[in-house]
Amino acid sequence: PESGERRGLIRKILSLSIPISLSSIITSVARVIDTATISRGISKAFASGIPGQEGIPTQEALEKYAALLSGRFFKADNITNIVLALNIAFATVLVPTIAAALAVGDKKTASRRISSSFLLSILIVLPCSMGLILLAEPFFKLVYPAASQGADLMQWAAVALIFTALDQTICGSLQGLGRVYVPAVGLLCGAAVKYVLNRILIPIPTVGIYGAAVSSVACHLTAFIICFAALRRSIPMKLNFSRYVIKPVLCTAVMSLVTWGSYRLCMLVLHSNLVSLAASVLLSVAVYAVCVFTLHILSPSQIRELPAGNTILRLAQRF
């Protein structure tokens, strides 16, 4: 009996761990697709001439140009990964909390936790994405002072960041619900879309490396749609459109005006990219927090669940 129980436990662990591992592997596949297709696509796109260079380029020149553009693209991805590292912490916590609620048959608590985490991801990723779009050039100059070109690619990466972060949260919810294969399927479909679009768009001279940026947005949007649809079928969720979309977008719009204006004003006065960037980010975070609390997007119970939630709630109620 003990041997049979052990085998059953091993099968159960493998049935959960393998699909979760597949999701991580497929996430890496997207980068492999870029590595494999960008160089070939750029070589085709600029076979008749590289911008700023005369004559027909050699294969060596094409490879160097492809490596240059690829470097800019992957640098943009590296910056947005900072936000994803923050968001994945919330997505990881979801799995045991949802599973624990379902183990005792408490679907209401599981649904509430999923809805709250989804809202929290929206509130995190929207301002981060817009901030990276508006401050792409100064961020790139700060992080890569020796090679600061590529800010426009980071703006595309910031758009993809929205769907990537929300998909992370949804995948954590699905894994907690036992739907462990859905995230892998969603990511696989997204990777397939990325491969097709890379092959089509990058060889177009007027598109070039921006084809990889567009395909990244399409990849993560595809995965998000598939996983979100599966989540809505798996458990009831109360997603008020005003609370989950309109109010966060309004807060982000107000913050964006502050971000845009404060950075330029600080640059005029201080003439320092680092100081201006830091001042703009701090002011933007403060204004965004005020907007979120003023519009009552988060309920008191949701605020208490945050790190130092009781302290945050007391400060919000006071001011």
Side-chain angles (χ1 to χ4, degrees):
E2 291 182 3
S3 178
E5 289 177 5
R6 193 180 298 112
R7 283 197 296 269
L9 182 60
I10 291 172
R11 282 196 296 268
K12 190 171 184 179
I13 292 172
L14 290 175
S15 67
L16 294 173
S17 61
I18 290 175
I20 292 174
S21 300
L22 279 175
S23 297
S24 301
I25 293 170
I26 295 170
T27 301
S28 302
V29 167
R31 180 166 281 240
V32 173
I33 289 172
D34 283 325
T35 303
T37 56
I38 287 176
S39 182
R40 295 177 184 177
I42 294 298
S43 296
K44 289 182 180 179
F46 301 101
S48 59
I50 296 174
Q53 298 183 18
E54 295 182 0
I56 303 299
T58 63
Q59 184 61 36
E60 183 181 358
L62 287 170
E63 289 175 359
K64 285 184 178 179
Y65 190 59
L68 174 67
L69 296 180
S70 298
R72 293 176 186 173
F73 177 75
F74 290 126
K75 285 175 184 175
D77 264 357
N78 290 337
I79 294 176
T80 58
N81 284 339
I82 298 171
V83 180
L84 293 177
L86 173 64
N87 184 73
I88 200 169
F90 293 99
T92 304
V93 171
L94 268 178
V95 179
T97 56
I98 295 170
L102 291 177
V104 295
D106 190 356
K107 284 190 174 183
K108 186 177 180 180
T109 298
S111 176
R112 179 177 59 81
R113 288 190 179 277
I114 292 171
S115 300
S116 296
S117 297
F118 190 64
L119 177 59
L120 193 59
S121 284
I122 291 172
L123 293 176
I124 291 172
V125 74
L126 282 184
C128 289
S129 176
M130 187 54 66
L132 289 174
I133 290 172
L134 293 173
L135 301 176
E137 188 173 344
F139 261 119
F140 234 82
K141 287 181 179 178
L142 178 65
V143 179
Y144 303 109
S148 58
Q149 291 182 313
D152 47 356
L153 288 170
M154 194 175 84
Q155 291 175 326
W156 279 99
V159 176
L161 172 66
I162 297 174
F163 303 112
T164 309
L166 295 180
D167 187 49
Q168 277 182 343
T169 303
I170 293 171
C171 288
S173 302
L174 288 168
Q175 288 165 357
L177 292 168
R179 303 287 306 275
V180 290
Y181 283 97
V182 176
V185 172
L187 287 169
L188 185 61
C189 292
V193 169
K194 182 172 187 57
Y195 177 77
V196 171
L197 288 179
N198 273 11
R199 293 295 300 270
I200 294 172
L201 295 176
I202 296 175
I204 301 174
T206 53
V207 178
I209 191 63
Y210 296 99
V214 172
S215 72
S216 290
V217 175
C219 168
H220 296 296
L221 176 59
T222 301
F224 167 74
I225 291 172
I226 291 172
C227 293
F228 184 71
L231 182 64
R232 291 298 299 269
R233 289 195 300 268
S234 301
I235 194 167
M237 294 173 61
K238 294 181 180 179
L239 302 178
N240 181 275
F241 187 75
S242 173
R243 189 182 181 198
Y244 280 75
V245 179
I246 295 177
K247 288 183 179 181
V249 168
L250 181 60
C251 292
T252 303
V254 173
M255 184 216 72
S256 298
L257 292 174
V258 174
T259 303
W260 183 84
S262 61
Y263 176 76
R264 279 152 183 78
L265 180 61
C266 287
M267 281 298 291
L268 285 174
V269 176
L270 303 172
H271 305 290
S272 169
N273 181 51
L274 175 60
V275 176
S276 299
L277 197 57
S280 177
V281 169
L282 290 173
L283 183 60
S284 299
V285 169
V287 169
Y288 184 74
V290 169
C291 290
V292 168
F293 289 123
T294 301
L295 294 179
H296 302 288
I297 298 176
L298 291 170
S299 67
S301 62
Q302 289 173 323
I303 296 174
R304 288 192 189 96
E305 292 177 355
L306 298 173
N310 289 326
T311 303
I312 294 172
L313 182 60
R314 284 197 300 270
L315 289 173
Q317 290 171 337
R318 181 176 299 176
F319 294 104

